[in-house]
Amino acid sequence: MTDDNTLSVEMEMAASPAIVWRCLTEPEQVRGWWYDTVTIEAWPGGRFEEIWRDSDSNEDSITRGEVLLVEAPRRLALSWTEPDWPGDTTVTFQLAQIDAGCRLTIDHGGWTVFPIVERGTMRAAHERGWHRHLE
């Protein structure tokens, strides 16, 4: 985690930024590493939706947002919220060329929308989720 408001997860891959960009923006590729129920319309104003199963309640939950920024093949940003959240957070995927291929950095910020007593728990849960998806 980088600060009280943002968590950051990085992964290096032996693939070009162009290939990793496709994995972030093309529906069939996104479903290969995330969930089958994820939708990303990779244009400004496009829809983001993730339907997932809550392991505590065993019920479906929905994360929604809007694509805020598309700078192919370097940066994709979207808002991120759930129905019971007090406000939106923001997820930014950044790609950088490195000798071995590509470094993907995911910055998930905006945690100050939560009361301070919930903030650390929410960030930690999402950090675990991002690591799980990237594995």
Side-chain angles (χ1 to χ4, degrees):
M1 287 184 228
T2 56
D3 60 39
D4 192 43
N5 196 38
T6 305
L7 70 86
S8 188
V9 176
E10 285 188 1
M11 180 178 213
E12 293 184 1
M13 294 168 244
S16 70
I19 290 172
V20 177
W21 180 259
R22 289 181 50 217
C23 291
L24 292 174
T25 60
E26 293 181 6
E28 63 279 359
Q29 300 296 324
V30 171
R31 291 179 187 119
W33 68 272
W34 204 329
Y35 287 127
D36 289 341
T37 57
V38 171
T39 301
I40 295 179
E41 297 171 338
W43 56 81
R47 178 175 61 106
F48 163 73
E49 184 174 88
E50 173 193 29
I51 302 170
W52 54 281
R53 175 79 38 166
D54 186 317
S55 59
D56 293 331
S57 68
N58 205 27
E59 295 180 8
D60 285 344
S61 292
I62 300 176
T63 302
R64 288 193 168 101
E66 177 181 329
V67 175
L68 304 171
L69 176 72
V70 178
E71 293 178 351
R74 298 178 310 127
R75 205 159 53 146
L76 174 69
L78 42 106
S79 63
W80 180 285
T81 192
E82 294 181 23
D84 60 344
W85 285 16
D88 292 355
T89 59
T90 304
V91 175
T92 304
F93 300 90
Q94 297 182 80
L95 304 173
Q97 180 75 48
I98 58 173
D99 289 340
C102 179
R103 178 183 299 112
L104 169 63
T105 303
I106 301 172
D107 292 319
H108 193 158
W111 299 106
T112 54
V113 300
F114 289 95
I116 197 160
V117 297
E118 296 176 24
R119 207 172 293 161
T121 302
M122 294 299 292
R123 279 194 339 261
H126 283 78
E127 183 174 28
R128 285 190 305 274
W130 286 120
H131 280 289
R132 185 177 60 250
H133 288 308
L134 291 177
E135 289 171 3

